[in-house]
C-alpha cells in the first residue's frame, strides 16, 4: 500500500522536525545562489533574521560566499519574503542556481501558460528525489511492476513526460514514452500492448474518446485500462467522473509545477478525497493572495511552496498562484501528509465581468453537469458599449443530442440559465458542432479575453 511507509505515515511532530532540519539545509543551500545570496545578505528583506548576514565573508568579486538564514521554528518562515515568478524571469538564466554547472544534468522549463517561460535546473539528486516522488504517487494508487504504463504527456521541456517517465522506471513499470497526440496510434498501443495505466491531460482524455467511437472500439470493453493520472491543467470533479465513466477506470488527480520539480508535488491516494502534498519534500502555506497573510487552516487561498530537498535550485516561499485549501481531518489511507483540495484556478485567471468575479472552472462544472453538452468549450470576453460581454461556446454531445432546432434552442436556454444561476451574470451561450472548437496538444486554452484590444487572455 505504501511506497515508503515510514515517511508517508510519519507522526506529524516527527515530520515537523524533519521539515525544520531540511528547511535550514535548504536556506543554506539557497544562499549559494546569486538571488538569495543577495537577498539574505541584504538582511532588510528578512526580519526574522536580523544579523543573520552579518559577518559573511565576501568573495573576491565582492559577492557574499554563502549568506544563510537559520530558523529555530517552522513558523518563522512566514517572516521571509516570497519568491515570485517574476523573480525567476528576472534572474534568467542562472540567478537561482546554487551549484556549478558541471553538477547540473537537466533543465526543464514551465510551459509558459501565462508569460515567458522560466528555467529550472536539476542535479542527479534532484532527479532522483523527483523520480522517487512519482514512484510514491503511482504506487499509492495501486500501480505495480506488472502494469503497462503509457505516458501521453509531452516529453521535452515540459515536465509531465520525463517526470513520470523516470518515476515509472523507478517503480519498475514498463513505460511506453509515446507523448501526446496521434490518437489512432495511441489507441493501437493501448489495445495491443494491453496498457493498464495512462498519464494524460484531462482535455486530451475527453478528445481521445471520440477516436474510439470513430474506430468502433469501446475502451470499457476492448482495453485493459484500469488507472489514469490526470493533471497539468485545472479540471472539475465532473470532468474526472466523466473520464472515469467513459473509460471504466479510476482517475487520480496529479498536481505539480516545474518550479518545484514538476508532477509529484501533490497526488490523490486511493481514497480520491483531496491530494496529499508531500510534506517531506515541500513545505506548504496558504495565503491571502491580496495581503500575503498566511490564512487559517481550511481557508481557500493561494498555495505557497518551499522546497525542502532541492539542490540545484531551492525556492523559498514560492507563490504558485494556484488556489486551493487544506482539507480538514485525517485521510483514511493512513498517510499523515496533509491534503489540499483540487485546484480551482490560478489567482490570476479570475475573470471580472462587470464587477462579478468568475473562475473558468465554475463554467466548466456547470456545463459538464448537462448531459447533452459535449466535452469542449471556450470562453470569450468582449467589451460592448463599455460593458463586459461574456460568451460561452460549447460543443453539443453527438451521443446524447439528436434533437430538432427547437430542442437545440431549448438546450441553449437551459445552459444559459444554469450558468446564470452559478455565476450571477448572464452569458451568451452558443452551441456548436461536436469537434468544431480548437484543440491543442498541450494544456487546453479555454479563455480568450478581447477586452484589452488585441488578443489578451491567459
Ligand atoms: P505553467 O505555469 O507555464 O503552466 P507548468 O507546466 O509548470 O507551467 O504548470 C504548472 C501549473 O499547471 C500549476 O501551477 C497549475 O496552475 C497547473 N496544474 C498542474 N497540475 C494541476 C492540477 N492537477 N489541477 C489544476 N491545475 C494544475
Ligand atoms: Zn490518503
Amino acid at each position: 500500500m505504501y511506497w515508503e511507509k515510514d515517511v508517508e505515515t510519519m507522526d506529524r511532530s516527527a515530520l515537523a522536525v524533519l521539515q525544520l532540519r531540511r528547511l535550514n539545509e535548504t536556506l543554506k543551500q539557497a544562499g549559494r545562489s546569486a538571488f538569495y545570496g543577495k537577498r539574505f545578505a541584504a538582511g532588510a528583506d528578512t526580519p526574522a533574521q536580523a544579523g543573520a548576514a552579518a559577518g559573511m565573508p565576501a568573495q573576491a568579486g565582492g559577492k557574499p560566499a554563502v549568506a544563510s538564514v537559520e530558523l529555530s521554528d517552522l513558523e518563522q518562515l512566514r517572516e521571509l519574503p516570497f519568491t515570485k515568478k517574476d523573480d525567476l524571469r528576472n534572474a534568467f538564466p542562472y540567478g537561482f542556481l546554487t551549484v556549478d554547472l558541471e553538477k547540473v544534468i537537466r533543465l526543464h522549463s514551465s510551459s509558459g501558460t501565462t508569460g515567458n517561460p522560466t528555467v529550472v535546473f536539476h542535479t542527479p539528486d534532484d532527479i532522483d528525489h523527483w523520480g522517487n516522488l512519482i514512484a510514491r504517487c503511482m504506487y499509492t494508487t495501486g500501480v505495480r511492476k506488472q502494469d503497462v504504463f503509457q505516458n501521453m504527456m509531452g516529453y521535452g521541456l515540459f515536465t509531465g513526460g520525463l517526470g513520470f517517465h523516470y518515476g515509472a522506471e523507478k517503480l519498475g513499470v514498463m513505460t511506453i514514452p509515446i507523448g501526446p497526440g496521434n490518437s489512432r496510434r495511441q489507441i493501437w498501443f493501448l489495445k495491443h500492448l494491453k496498457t493498464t495505466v495512462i498519464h494524460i491531460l484531462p482535455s486530451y482524455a475527453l478528445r481521445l474518446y471520440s477516436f474510439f467511437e470513430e474506430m468502433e472500439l469501446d475502451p470499457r470493453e476492448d482495453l485493459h485500462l484500469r488507472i489514469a493520472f490526470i493533471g497539468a491543467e485545472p479540471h472539475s470533479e465532473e470532468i474526472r467522473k466523466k473520464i472515469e465513466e467513459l473509460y471504466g477506470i479510476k482517475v487520480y488527480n496529479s498536481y505539480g509545477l516545474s518550479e518545484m520539480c514538476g508532477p509529484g508535488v501533490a497526488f490523490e491516494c486511493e481514497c480520491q478525497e483531496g491530494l496529499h502534498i508531500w510534506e517531506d519534500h515541500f513545505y506548504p502555506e496558504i495565503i491571502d493572495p491580496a495581503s500575503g497573510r498566511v490564512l487559517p487552516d481550511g481557508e481557500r487561498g493561494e498555495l505557497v511552496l518551499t522546497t525542502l530537498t532541492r539542490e540545484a535550485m531551492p525556492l523559498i516561499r514560492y507563490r504558485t498562484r494556484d488556489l486551493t485549501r487544506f482539507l480538514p481531518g485525517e485521510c483514511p489511507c493512513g498517510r499523515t501528509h496533509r491534503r489540499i483540495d483540487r485546484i480551482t484556478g490560478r489567482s490570476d485567471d479570475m475573470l471580472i465581468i462587470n464587477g462579478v468575479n468568475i473562475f473558468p472552472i465554475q463554467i466548466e462544472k456547470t456545463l459538464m453537469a448537462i448531459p447533452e453538452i459535449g466535452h469542449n468549450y471556450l470562453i470569450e470576453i468582449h467589451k460592448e458599449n463599455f460593458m463586459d460581454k461574456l460568451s460561452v461556446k460549447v460543443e453539443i454531445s453527438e451521443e446524447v443530442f439528436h434533437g430538432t432546432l427547437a430542442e437545440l434552442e431549448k438546450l441553449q436556454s437551459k445552459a444559459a440559465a444554469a450558468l446564470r444561476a452559478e455565476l450571477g451574470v448572464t452569458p451568451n451561450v452558443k452551441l456548436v458542432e461536436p469537434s468544431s472548437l480548437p484543440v491543442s496538444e498541450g494544456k487546453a486554452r479555454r479563455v480568450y479575453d478581447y477586452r484589452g484590444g488585441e488578443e489578451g487572455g491567459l
Side-chain angles (χ1 to χ4, degrees), residues 27-48:
L27 288 166
K28 190 163 171 203
Q29 181 70 4
R32 299 192 168 101
S33 71
F35 179 84
Y36 288 116
K38 200 164 146 211
R39 181 173 266 193
F40 296 163
D45 269 320
T46 56

Side-chain angles (χ1 to χ4, degrees), residues 106 127 130-132 134-135 161-171:
R106 177 99 64 85
I127 295 291
W130 183 15
N132 192 55
I134 294 288
L162 283 167
F164 258 77
H165 188 96
Y166 276 61
E169 286 190 353
K170 207 173 239 321
L171 182 51

